[in-house]
Structures are given as structure tokens and as C-alpha cells.
Amino acid sequence: MDRFLLMTCFVRAVETGSFSAAGRDLGLGQPNVSRHVAALEDYLQTRLLHRSTRKLALTPEGERYYAEVRRILDAVDESESSLRDNLAPSGLLRVACPTALAHKFLLPEIPGFLKRYPALALDLQINDRYVNLVDEGAELAIRIGHLEDSALKARRIGMFERVCVASKAYVTQHGIPLTPDDLREHDCVIYTLLSSGATWRFRDTEVSVTGRFRVNSPDAVRDSVAAGLGIGYGPRWLFEDDLESSCLQILLSEYAAPHVPVQLVYVANRLLPRRASVFMDFVTEVFTRIPALNSTLR
């Protein structure tokens, strides 16, 4: 019995959420993965997974075993990497990144990264929801904001300012808010995936805003604010082109909140494979040269 194979199948089933997805990922097929996980449970004489038609769920014993096996597989991967891939990291690297940040800054650099490391493959997961690195199998995530999860470690790769903006047409019709509290009387475009919800942060205060238009895309926030649908709030770099063309103007600049960090995060108790380390070094090198991600208060 190849226990290493059984453990690998179990871990990928947990991280992908199904035997079918794990089978595709490992090139083994769903029946084999299901059979290998069942064999592992028989060997351990313990149920590791609850199976249903919709998803897999870890049992309490499975949760403890997953954490230990994940560390074992990471240690093996790191050992092999140090011997075999010291100069040429290889394998599949999974990285999660917010949508606007990926399109604006990361995607243009990916060709250079893949050219530098030809034996490495990259699975870039672009979305604006919170990605659980343990449950979803990503080794790294680029996140905006301060780290609050003690199970993670972070490397800061940038800083930017958040701004409040509106089109000239909007302020001509509705006036300019003079304080953050004045936003309560205005139509605000609300980005529904903002971690603070419909609460906008300013220096020394937070304001709950309302508006007739809500959207889950940062680019849609920018476009709708430029179209005069309301006041927007977000990273300055998201609105930079429209600010330079004077399509938009910054509001409440004297109340600007402290700058926001951009961070690469990873699970604290895992050994990072070399492919993850070189990606972190590459992105840090690139992002430190981008003025919009190394801004100072203006």
C-alpha cells in the first residue's frame, strides 16, 4: 500500500472539495481517488470525511489528520525542492488575487515570471471573495488590508491610499460633501465585497453610506461613478486614469484614512515550497517599482 499516494489523494480531495476535482488534479480519475481515500480510512480505522452528493466535509478526526498530513506533504515537497529545484523551481503554484489588483498590476508581469521559471506552472485564482488557504489549496494569496488571521503570515508588498471620488456632473447637481458625515445625504455607489461593507473609513471616523446602486466589481464601481451614478470609494489607483483626465475629482482629501497595505499571505505552520518563495520574491521586486503601490500621502 502506497500510503504517500493515499495521503495525497486525501489532501487534494479536501482542498478541491470533491473526489472528481481531486482526480482531475492528480490525473487519477474520480473512482481511484475515492478508492484510495477509503483505503486510507480502512487503514486508520477512522472516518475522515463525510460524503454527500454536494460536497465533502471533514470529520473532527479528519480535521486533525489533515493538518498533520498537510505538514508532512509540505515537508516532503520542501526537501525535494531543496535538492532538485534549487536553481529551477517546478510544480504547480496556486495563488489567489483580488480582481482589480490582478488586472491592473499582476497579470502584466506574469509572462516575465513564467519566462524566468520555465519548469513552473501557475494557477492564478482571480476573485474578490475571501479565499481560505487551508481549505482551498492555494499556497499564497495577495490581500488588501491588515492581517487579522493568526494562522497566517504575511509579507508586505505595497501600500496605497483610498480616496472618495465623484464626477463633475454629480457634484454640480448634488453638491460637494464637506465632511464624511455629509455622505449620509448623498447617493453612494457601494462595492458589496468591501470587507467593511457599506461603511467607509476616514481619518478618525467611519461612515455608513447608502445608495441606489450596489455592485460586486471594482471596475464597475469606477465606471458607474464616472457615469455620474454617485460617489465612489476605493484605491486611488483604481480611479487614476479618470482623475488624470479630470473626469473624476477627489472629495474629502483632508479626511483621508491611513494608507492600506497590500500583502502576500501564506499559512504560518506550512513549509513554503521553493516555487512559492520565488513567486513572493518576484512579486515583491515588481510591486516595489510601481508608484501607485508605494504611495505617500499627497
Side-chain angles (χ1 to χ4, degrees):
M1 178 175 58
D2 185 345
R3 288 166 59 192
F4 187 82
L5 175 61
L6 303 191
M7 290 189 293
T8 299
C9 288
F10 167 67
V11 166
R12 292 310 300 140
V14 171
E15 294 176 344
T16 61
S18 73
F19 293 138
S20 297
R24 290 192 298 271
D25 191 41
L26 296 170
L28 295 175
Q30 181 270 334
N32 284 329
V33 172
S34 179
R35 180 168 55 83
H36 290 330
V37 173
L40 181 62
E41 289 177 320
D42 288 343
Y43 175 78
L44 297 171
Q45 297 186 342
T46 302
R47 175 62 65 89
L48 300 174
L49 293 169
H50 294 300
R51 291 129 167 109
S52 73
T53 56
R54 292 193 304 165
K55 66 175 183 177
L56 302 174
L58 285 165
T59 65
E61 294 78 13
E63 289 181 2
R64 293 194 296 272
Y65 187 69
Y66 169 78
E68 294 300 324
V69 170
R70 181 71 266 183
R71 281 194 285 270
I72 291 170
L73 296 181
D74 286 341
V76 171
D77 188 71
E78 180 69 13
S79 297
E80 292 178 347
S81 177
S82 65
L83 293 174
R84 185 182 61 214
D85 297 328
N86 188 44
L87 297 179
S90 64
L92 176 63
L93 173 66
R94 294 178 177 87
V95 180
C97 184
T99 305
L101 197 67
H103 286 282
K104 181 75 172 178
F105 301 116
L106 185 58
L107 283 174
E109 305 298 336
I110 296 304
F113 175 72
L114 294 178
K115 183 178 180 180
R116 183 181 296 186
Y117 301 105
L120 190 151
L122 178 65
D123 178 0
L124 184 61
Q125 302 168 8
I126 300 176
N127 56 69
D128 289 322
R129 65 177 179 83
Y130 179 88
V131 173
N132 187 308
L133 296 182
V134 173
D135 294 342
E136 300 188 46
E139 289 160 305
L140 299 171
I142 298 177
R143 291 201 181 143
I144 293 172
H146 295 279
L147 182 64
E148 298 178 355
D149 189 340
S150 61
L152 302 177
K153 287 187 177 181
R155 178 192 293 187
R156 181 174 294 179
I157 56 176
M159 291 283 287
F160 66 84
E161 59 181 311
R162 281 199 171 117
V163 293
C164 192
V165 298
S167 69
K168 291 189 175 180
Y170 179 88
V171 298
T172 298
Q173 182 176 356
H174 300 282
I176 297 177
L178 300 179
T179 70
D181 280 341
D182 291 343
L183 291 171
R184 303 179 197 275
E185 308 301 322
H186 283 266
D187 218 355
C188 297
V189 177
I190 298 172
Y191 173 48
T192 56
L193 295 182
L194 186 67
S195 60
S196 58
T199 299
W200 292 358
R201 293 171 179 164
F202 295 88
R203 190 183 69 245
D204 302 326
T205 190
E206 296 182 347
V207 178
S208 295
V209 299
T210 59
R212 293 184 299 147
F213 187 56
R214 304 166 64 89
V215 68
N216 65 351
S217 161
D219 289 340
V221 170
R222 179 196 61 223
D223 294 344
S224 56
V225 172
L229 294 185
I231 296 174
Y233 176 82
R236 181 179 180 124
W237 48 260
L238 180 65
F239 306 108
E240 198 69 56
D241 292 343
D242 289 327
L243 289 170
E244 291 182 359
S245 68
S246 298
C247 176
L248 297 180
Q249 64 185 76
I250 294 178
L251 310 175
L252 302 169
S253 58
E254 62 271 35
Y255 296 96
H259 283 36
V260 180
V262 180
Q263 306 194 87
L264 269 166
V265 301
Y266 54 97
V267 179
N269 62 359
R270 283 188 190 172
L271 289 172
L272 275 180
R274 181 159 172 75
R275 59 181 175 269
S277 298
V278 297
F279 182 85
M280 293 177 70
D281 292 342
F282 180 87
V283 172
T284 301
E285 171 192 327
V286 168
F287 276 29
T288 54
R289 299 198 303 263
I290 299 174
L293 296 180
N294 293 274
S295 60
T296 57
L297 288 171
R298 306 182 202 194

